[in-house]
Amino acid sequence: MTDADGPQALHAILDDDAVTERLDRALARAFPEVSRSRLQDLIRAGHVLRNGTVSLDPSVKVGPGAELAVAMPEAVAPEPAAERLDLVIVHEDDDLIVIDKPAGLVVHPAPGHDSGTLVNGLIAHCGASLSGIGGVRRPGIVHRLDKDTSGLLVVAKNDLAHAGLTAQFADHGRTGPLERAYLALVWGVPEPRIGTIEAKLARSVRNREKIAVVRGETGRHAITHYRTEAALGQEGTVALVRCILETGRTHQIRVHMSHRGHPLLGDTVYGGAFKTKASRLSEAARGALDTMGRQALHASVLGFAHPRTGETLHFESPLPPDMRDLIAKLRAGP
């Protein structure tokens, strides 16, 4: 076991009126800056002392007056390599960083994308200030944007921020200030122009790389609120729509809008059947759509409570040049 009296050690003595509860819960209450899952790992690894004795069972009961000590190992180096990227940083402090992600940038290393990702860039940018997420010196990804979706993304720098932000995203803003809004260009003009799409989502049984709307007991609850901002093109060929997420499922906006009959422009996965509609666009608009080469989706608004101070933070990102250019060409007409 690591020295429980070293510089990385945490100590606590439970109050005389403390409740009797599991060791991992008592530790999480005593040290809220460390996630419960991380504490469970430390217990099993022999890094926790209960009344001076190593305790390997997270479920063992502790009560009033118990003396607890946790030896926090130094964070190990991250597996992804540091790579210098031109990141657009909207906000940064000791706990978190907010990025305005460009389209085409993958968030996290994965098969086929083991370098050049946002995580690689963040390790290069602020790796020295990362105190370790789950014991690894890496940025804490609490939500993601698809590779070809642009916009705002918040990343945690330490366990406290990671736990606090994860809880807010899991709560979907029901009891806090979490806010996420997207701007999308869709085929056709939704009717009604303001509405809510509530449909369960699950991995498609026909194509495991796609998400599909499902019925019955299967699937995950998903709700998207939308508002049509403008009708564009000839005869309402395209609409600019603001989507507000009440839940945050994989591909949620893309699947919900396609399910409603209004897939996103440029979405080859969920809007392939609408390719012929491009013939109704002006030549300039078709060229702008081809140049964009991605689904027309931008994470424009992000708000949340700072996990340490509780301050409500609010950020807005303007539409990127490719979507602005397409909108301008649609408004220009034939």
Side-chain angles (χ1 to χ4, degrees):
M1 173 175 168
T2 303
D3 182 9
D5 292 318
Q8 297 295 317
L10 303 175
H11 297 272
I13 299 177
L14 301 187
D15 294 337
D16 291 338
D17 58 352
V19 298
T20 297
E21 59 185 342
R22 290 169 53 111
L23 175 60
D24 55 354
R25 289 178 181 170
L27 289 171
R29 196 185 304 277
F31 311 117
E33 70 276 15
V34 186
S35 70
R36 186 174 167 189
S37 61
R38 172 66 172 147
L39 289 167
Q40 290 172 338
D41 290 340
L42 290 170
I43 293 169
R44 296 187 181 100
H47 291 287
V48 173
L49 295 179
R50 178 173 60 97
N51 296 326
T53 303
V54 173
S55 186
L56 301 174
D57 183 1
S59 66
V60 69
K61 295 295 191 291
V62 296
E67 296 185 17
L68 307 177
V70 181
M72 298 293 292
E74 290 287 347
V76 301
E79 290 184 8
E83 297 180 47
R84 292 289 177 186
L85 300 178
D86 291 328
L87 301 177
V88 179
I89 300 170
V90 178
H91 170 86
E92 183 175 8
D93 58 40
D94 291 341
D95 297 300
L96 55 87
I97 183 168
V98 178
I99 301 292
D100 199 340
K101 186 185 88 68
L105 178 62
V106 175
V107 171
H108 200 280
H113 298 285
D114 56 357
S115 64
T117 71
L118 176 60
V119 166
N120 296 112
L122 287 172
I123 291 171
H125 170 74
C126 59
S129 67
L130 300 175
S131 64
I133 307 294
V136 179
R137 196 176 296 281
R138 62 181 172 85
I141 305 299
V142 296
H143 69 125
R144 303 190 186 196
L145 297 177
D146 295 338
K147 172 188 174 185
D148 291 327
T149 297
S150 55
L152 297 167
L153 186 80
V154 60
V155 179
K157 287 185 173 183
N158 52 50
D159 270 325
L160 182 145
H162 190 255
L165 291 170
T166 297
Q168 291 185 62
F169 277 85
D171 183 62
H172 304 302
R174 296 186 186 96
T175 61
L178 181 71
E179 179 185 11
R180 287 176 293 170
Y182 294 70
L183 289 171
L185 290 169
V186 304
W187 291 111
V189 179
E191 289 295 343
R193 294 201 172 198
I194 300 176
T196 296
I197 304 171
E198 186 171 359
K200 291 183 177 181
L201 302 178
R203 190 70 59 179
S204 171
V205 295
R206 296 179 180 178
N207 183 344
R208 300 302 294 175
E209 296 183 359
K210 295 178 65 175
I211 305 298
V213 169
V214 296
R215 294 175 174 81
E217 299 298 322
T218 61
R220 304 184 72 187
H221 190 58
I223 300 176
T224 303
H225 305 285
Y226 71 87
R227 181 179 73 215
T228 303
E229 300 287 321
L232 305 167
Q234 301 182 61
E235 302 174 358
T237 310
V238 176
L240 175 64
V241 176
R242 180 178 298 272
C243 295
I244 298 176
L245 295 181
E246 187 170 325
T247 57
R249 311 305 183 196
T250 302
H251 299 176
Q252 179 174 317
I253 292 174
R254 297 166 62 189
V255 178
H256 270 178
M257 295 308 299
S258 179
H259 175 67
R260 185 57 68 92
H262 301 284
L264 275 59
L265 271 67
D267 192 340
T268 58
V269 177
Y270 300 105
F274 283 71
K275 285 183 178 179
T276 56
K277 281 188 173 289
S279 63
R280 298 174 59 187
L281 303 179
S282 67
E283 183 176 349
R286 288 198 302 273
L289 178 58
D290 289 341
T291 299
M292 187 172 66
R294 66 174 180 107
Q295 68 262 8
L297 184 61
H298 179 68
S300 60
V301 174
L302 177 63
F304 53 89
H306 193 284
R308 185 179 298 275
T309 67
E311 176 189 1
T312 297
L313 302 180
H314 178 88
F315 306 97
E316 296 190 17
S317 168
L319 282 171
D322 58 355
M323 287 183 66
R324 290 203 308 270
D325 182 56
L326 177 53
I327 290 172
K329 298 293 196 304
L330 289 166
R331 284 180 168 150

